[in-house]
């Protein structure tokens, strides 16, 4: 009988150790799962940031290059020069001149003296917009365009820290 009492007492102590071990394992696993979900959320936001910058940049590149290709002449920059804005004559007299420029972190288009239309959304900041007239006398006008888009990151969070520089060249028709 004495041995049975000792075995019962030993089992109770061993149960407490098992319980503490179980609680520790559950806590560690819970922390790992929470950390994994946090990292997945950050990764998703980073992917969205990259996608947003690239999609906006591609749309702006397409609009500028299409406008250049459909233009009849370049007002400025002059042959062999560069400028932070581009002025084009287009076939539609109501849209001539068509001007692309940068103002306050926004790439804009102004058609025929109308109001400026902002091409990038408020989550992105544009910078370093440059138009280079690479044309030579007797050839079609060739314009090279470059600009940088950055995600607004007022909080300094890593997942919003992304920028991309875009380059295109286009010939007038």
């Amino acid at each position: 009988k004495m041995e049975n009492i000792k075995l019962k007492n030993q089992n109770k102590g061993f149960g407490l150790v098992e319980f503490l071990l179980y609680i520790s394992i559950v806590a560690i696993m819970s922390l790992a799962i929470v950390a994994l979900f946090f990292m997945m959320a950050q990764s998703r936001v980073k992917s969205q940031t990259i996608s947003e910058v690239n999609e906006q940049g591609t749309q702006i590149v397409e609009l500028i290059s299409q406008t250049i290709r459909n233009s009849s002449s370049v007002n400025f920059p002059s042959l062999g020069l560069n400028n932070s804005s581009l002025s084009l004559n287009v076939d539609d007299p109501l849209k001539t001149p068509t001007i692309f420029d940068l103002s306050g972190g926004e790439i804009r288009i102004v058609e025929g003296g109308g109001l400026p239309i902002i091409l990038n959304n408020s989550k992105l900041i544009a910078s370093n917009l440059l138009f280079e007239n690479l044309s030579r006398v007797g050839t079609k006008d060739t314009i090279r365009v470059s600009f940088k888009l950055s995600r607004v990151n007022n909080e300094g969070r890593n997942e919003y820290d992304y920028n991309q520089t875009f380059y295109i060249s286009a010939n007038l028709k």
Side-chain angles (χ1 to χ4, degrees):
K1 243 185 174 186
M2 190 63 122
E3 289 176 13
N4 286 344
I5 294 173
K6 283 184 181 178
L7 281 176
K8 286 182 182 178
N9 287 342
Q10 286 177 349
N11 285 344
K12 286 182 183 179
F14 190 66
L16 180 61
V17 170
E18 284 179 329
F19 178 72
L20 291 175
L21 185 61
Y22 171 75
I23 294 296
S24 299
I25 291 172
V26 168
I28 290 170
M29 288 178 61
S30 297
L31 286 173
I33 290 170
V34 167
L36 179 67
F37 282 130
F38 182 72
M39 287 185 344
M40 286 174 48
Q42 282 182 320
S43 177
R44 183 180 58 81
V45 170
K46 184 70 169 190
S47 293
Q48 287 174 337
T49 298
I50 292 169
S51 177
E52 184 172 23
V53 168
N54 290 336
E55 285 176 16
Q56 285 273 306
T58 301
Q59 288 174 357
I60 293 169
V61 160
E62 289 297 320
L63 177 65
I64 293 173
S65 64
Q66 181 181 357
T67 305
I68 292 170
R69 286 186 190 107
N70 292 330
S71 296
S72 55
S73 63
V74 177
N75 297 319
F76 58 83
S78 299
L79 204 68
L81 299 177
N82 59 52
N83 200 322
S84 60
S85 59
L86 172 67
S87 176
L88 302 166
N89 290 324
V90 296
D91 291 335
D92 184 349
L94 297 175
K95 294 183 177 182
T96 293
T98 296
I99 300 171
F100 292 94
D101 67 3
L102 179 68
S103 177
E106 300 170 334
I107 296 177
R108 309 178 315 167
I109 181 174
V110 178
E111 296 176 314
L115 294 175
I117 299 168
I118 299 167
L119 302 180
N120 56 292
N121 70 31
S122 62
K123 295 179 184 176
L124 302 178
I125 297 173
S127 60
N128 303 336
L129 180 63
L130 185 65
F131 298 96
E132 298 174 82
N133 191 333
L134 303 176
S135 309
R136 295 185 191 153
V137 177
T139 64
K140 287 184 178 181
D141 286 324
T142 301
I143 305 296
R144 181 169 41 202
V145 183
S146 61
F147 61 93
K148 180 178 175 180
L149 284 181
S150 305
R151 174 65 161 81
V152 173
N153 188 5
N154 295 331
E155 301 88 24
R157 293 173 51 185
N158 180 49
E159 56 268 29
Y160 293 123
D161 187 26
Y162 184 74
N163 63 70
Q164 180 70 36
T165 302
F166 297 87
Y167 301 93
I168 59 157
S169 292
N171 295 328
L172 275 69
K173 60 178 174 179

